[in-house]
Amino acid sequence: MTIATTDAAERLGLSLRSSLAVHLAEHGHLPASRGRHGSVAGSLVDEVERSGLRGRGGGWFPTAVKLRAVVESSAARGRLSTTRRPVVIGNGMEGEPASGKDAMLLAASPHLVLDGISAAAYAIGATEAYLAVHRGSHLVPGLLAALAERAEATVDEIAIRLVTPPARYVASEESALAHWVGEGVATPVHDRKPFQSGSGGRPTLVQNVETLAHLALIARNGGPWFAGAGSPAAPGTTMVSVGGAVAAPGVVEVPTGTSVASILDRCGGPTADVAGYLTGGYGGAWVPPAGFAATPWDPDSVREMGGVIGASVLWAVGPDTCPLHEMARVAAWMAGETAGQCGPCAFGLPSVRDDVHLLAVRRAGAGDADRLRSRLGLISNRGGCKHPDGTARFLATGLAAFPDEVAAHLAGRCSFGSTRPGSPSSLPVPEARLASADVNGRDFA
Ligand SMILES: Cc1cc2nc3c(=O)[nH]c(=O)nc-3n(C[C@H](O)[C@H](O)[C@H](O)COP(=O)(O)O)c2cc1C
Ligand code: SF4
């Protein structure tokens, strides 16, 4: 993905390729007084609360609540407990195939993310800090160079280690990430949350790298400064990965609440009539085109239109791409990306994958479509993590957003002439990955 046109509202320095010297000239050092080790949350946590920052990894959960939960969990353990001191993990895995924002940020402003890890660790009294990018990521050499610069200049109070868990969709779910860092196993953990007992049984803060970059700016400029941009309920700027039927697909940074039409304009505008939008990514939701262009890009407004802002993916489907074909391709990939530990993943996802395939290739009857809908209703809220829920929502909202196309396929027709091979608005689906061979075994870059 490329950086779309830049804008005065940008804060994260996406057009830079920051060395430590450039970064410090631009932002200055982190203020040392904002956090304090110990059982009481540092003043940075108060500042984050004032900012209204919500996590950019998909759930848009209030960051201050998470920081406090880790501090309280750590304080609740006996002072002598060896599993008392927290761990911080920056989540730069970017498991969503249609997202490019985290890689863009880590390439352009690695030190802002590393500052965020450092500041969060300092504020909550963490004694271990990690940055995770997926195994094989092209970012590794640049990040190792950035970490070496920081070690040389003794910027960080505790060393930040780069880790490269397997490039599997569920490996970047927060409990799986903590599991990997602590035990070398990249599967989600059902019975406890990372903030209670994560890496090595220690309270663990997992934050998306964009969240951490915003946190680093809040540490310098304060919460009210951050809240001065964007929608009041989810303030600040947000990166958006824009793809599909637009002239210049890429990543933009905009204040939350910017209209979908303005975001598309920043990427050269739609290249054709848009048949529908995928919002949030493959764990997100489809939205029909009517009225969506005027929608503000923030969690509540997107939800009111039936979408999910999630990992901030905005994908326009053009007339060269059959959405049902796209749904079948993505469902096949998502069904192969489970950790296979729970019923909805072991049995539910393969069944809906097969149902939607029949529909896409126009071999399904009305009974098959009904069976697909009822199976989708049975999948949610039954797994150890939200992977099956996201897949079910992706498919259920797709069926609802394209009713005419579902009817056409049931009648043996496709209005889009199916997806043309190599079509620019066809969703990216990574090559099939090895079943579970690579979710065990740890390595540190
Ligand atoms: C299947 C699955 C995959 C996920 N992949 C990612 C990911 O690649 N990057 C990410 O930041 N969050 C991902 N998440 C969300 C994380 O579990 C977690 O909520 C997030 O890293 C927390 O950061 P935030 O509070 O800063 O958003 C995923 C969640 C699920 C259920
Ligand atoms: S729901 Fe699926 S991906 Fe999540 S823990 Fe269970 S088997 Fe693994």
Side-chain angles (χ1 to χ4, degrees), residues 349 352 375-377 379-380 387-397:
L349 294 189
V352 298
R375 281 176 166 165
L376 290 172
I379 286 178
S380 293
H387 174 56
D389 304 45
T391 311
R393 182 173 51 212
F394 172 87
L395 293 176
T397 54

Side-chain angles (χ1 to χ4, degrees), residues 89-96 101-106 113 117 130-135 137 139 143 162-163 165 172 177 206-210 212:
I89 304 173
N91 191 348
M93 296 281 285
E94 197 149 51
E96 279 290 349
K101 74 180 184 73
D102 293 339
M104 185 72 67
L105 176 64
L106 285 166
V113 175
I117 295 175
Y130 299 89
L131 171 60
V133 296
H134 65 78
R135 190 179 298 165
S137 166
L139 297 165
L143 292 172
L162 186 64
V163 289
S172 47
L177 209 46
V206 181
Q207 298 283 183
N208 172 258
V209 288
E210 185 190 341
L212 289 161

Side-chain angles (χ1 to χ4, degrees), residues 12 34 47 61 74 93 136 168 177 237 252 300 312 339 349 371 374-375 403 427 431:
L12 298 172
R34 294 249 187 224
E47 215 53 50
F61 188 78
S74 164
M93 296 281 285
R168 300 290 306 269
L177 209 46
T237 60
V252 292
D300 295 342
S312 204
L349 294 189
R371 187 185 57 211
S374 88
R375 281 176 166 165
L427 288 161
E431 280 178 27

Side-chain angles (χ1 to χ4, degrees), residues 103-355:
M104 185 72 67
L105 176 64
L106 285 166
S109 290
H111 290 289
L112 208 50
V113 175
L114 295 167
D115 278 355
I117 295 175
S118 213
Y122 189 54
I124 65 172
T127 50
E128 282 180 27
Y130 299 89
L131 171 60
V133 296
H134 65 78
R135 190 179 298 165
S137 166
H138 69 279
L139 297 165
V140 168
L143 292 172
L144 286 174
L147 287 169
E149 282 183 296
R150 294 171 81 88
E152 168 94 31
T154 56
V155 170
D156 300 308
E157 187 164 312
I158 56 170
I160 301 169
R161 296 181 75 182
L162 186 64
V163 289
T164 55
R168 300 290 306 269
Y169 191 69
V170 292
S172 47
E173 187 275 338
E174 61 183 353
S175 70
L177 209 46
H179 201 189
W180 167 263
V181 169
E183 278 89 39
V185 182
T187 52
V189 176
H190 309 182
D191 54 353
R192 53 194 189 276
K193 296 283 180 201
F195 77 87
Q196 300 163 316
S197 176
S199 172
R202 297 164 63 171
T204 301
L205 178 77
V206 181
Q207 298 283 183
N208 172 258
V209 288
E210 185 190 341
T211 314
L212 289 161
H214 289 301
L215 187 143
L217 292 174
I218 292 166
R220 291 176 165 95
N221 303 314
W225 167 84
F226 180 81
S231 304
T237 60
T238 186
M239 297 171 73
V240 191
S241 306
V242 185
V246 290
V251 175
V252 292
E253 182 190 355
V254 293
T256 56
T258 300
S259 71
V260 166
S262 306
I263 295 171
L264 296 175
D265 280 351
R266 288 272 304 277
C267 295
T271 50
D273 284 346
V274 176
Y277 297 92
L278 175 63
T279 60
Y282 297 175
W286 292 92
V287 182
F292 193 56
T295 303
W297 190 250
D298 63 50
D300 295 342
S301 308
V302 174
R303 190 182 321 108
E304 273 165 30
M305 295 299 289
V308 173
I309 193 169
S312 204
V313 167
L314 176 61
W315 194 275
V317 169
D320 56 357
T321 307
C322 170
L324 300 187
H325 261 263
E326 296 304 282
M327 286 159 59
R329 292 170 62 239
V330 170
W333 182 75
M334 293 286 264
E337 284 297 302
T338 79
Q341 306 182 112
C342 313
C345 272
F347 309 111
L349 294 189
S351 308
V352 298
R353 172 201 61 201
D354 294 346
D355 288 347

